[in-house]
């Protein structure tokens, strides 16, 4: 079992920055991927960024060059540094973990993950 708790969301003006954190507990040694997803009202959940156990990363085109995913394995914390925020980045942001063998599952696919946090809200005003 893995438990994930997000923090760091809030309200910011366009062009600003936020850093999200995701604290993991439980069987974190078994994770092979960790990722950040977001969901805006009336829309589906979108993969934003993912990171493998070996540090490989992937980003959606909409955030590439603005967001950076990183992890502190010693503390079991996943981060998402978000810069140059836009109003369209407003959403609930979720942390996710995969503990099953990777088998080349897509890093930004919702179905690749089997544990989820409760989410943290990000609101970007123009």
């Amino acid at each position: 079992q893995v438990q994930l708790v997000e923090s760091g969301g809030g309200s910011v003006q366009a062009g600003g920055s936020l850093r999200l954190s995701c604290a993991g507990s439980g069987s974190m040694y078994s994770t092979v991927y960790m990722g950040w997803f977001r969901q805006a009202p009336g829309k589906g959940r979108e993969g934003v960024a993912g990171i493998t156990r070996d540090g490989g990363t992937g980003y959606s085109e909409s955030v590439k060059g603005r967001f950076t995913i990183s992890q502190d394995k010693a503390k079991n914390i996943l981060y998402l540094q978000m810069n140059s925020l836009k109003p369209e980045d407003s959403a609930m942001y979720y942390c996710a973990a995969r503990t099953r063998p990777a088998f080349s599952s897509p890093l930004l696919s919702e179905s690749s993950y089997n544990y989820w946090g409760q989410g943290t809200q990000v609101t970007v005003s123009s």
Side-chain angles (χ1 to χ4, degrees):
Q1 293 289 326
V2 168
Q3 294 80 42
L4 303 170
V5 179
E6 303 93 335
S7 61
S11 297
V12 65
Q13 289 193 327
S17 298
L18 282 174
R19 188 177 79 159
L20 305 184
S21 299
C22 172
S25 61
S27 303
M28 290 297 293
Y29 61 88
S30 63
T31 60
V32 295
Y33 291 170
M34 292 200 73
W36 287 99
F37 289 73
R38 67 186 181 188
Q39 187 168 20
K43 295 188 177 181
R45 195 169 292 190
E46 172 194 15
V48 173
I51 188 166
T52 68
R53 177 186 289 169
D54 297 331
T57 58
Y59 297 90
S60 68
E61 287 300 319
S62 61
V63 307
K64 196 173 292 185
R66 300 188 298 121
F67 291 10
T68 303
I69 188 171
S70 62
Q71 58 187 351
D72 184 331
K73 291 182 182 179
K75 297 181 179 178
N76 289 328
I77 299 177
L78 181 73
Y79 299 102
L80 185 68
Q81 178 66 43
M82 305 186 296
N83 299 328
S84 302
L85 282 162
K86 305 175 181 180
E88 51 264 43
D89 294 319
S90 297
M92 185 70 79
Y93 281 72
Y94 298 91
C95 171
R98 176 184 177 94
T99 58
R100 307 184 196 108
F103 295 136
S104 299
S105 294
L107 199 55
L108 300 182
S109 174
E110 186 176 358
S111 62
S112 294
Y113 294 82
N114 54 324
Y115 288 100
W116 294 85
Q118 294 299 306
T120 185
Q121 179 68 41
V122 171
T123 302
V124 185
S125 58
S126 57

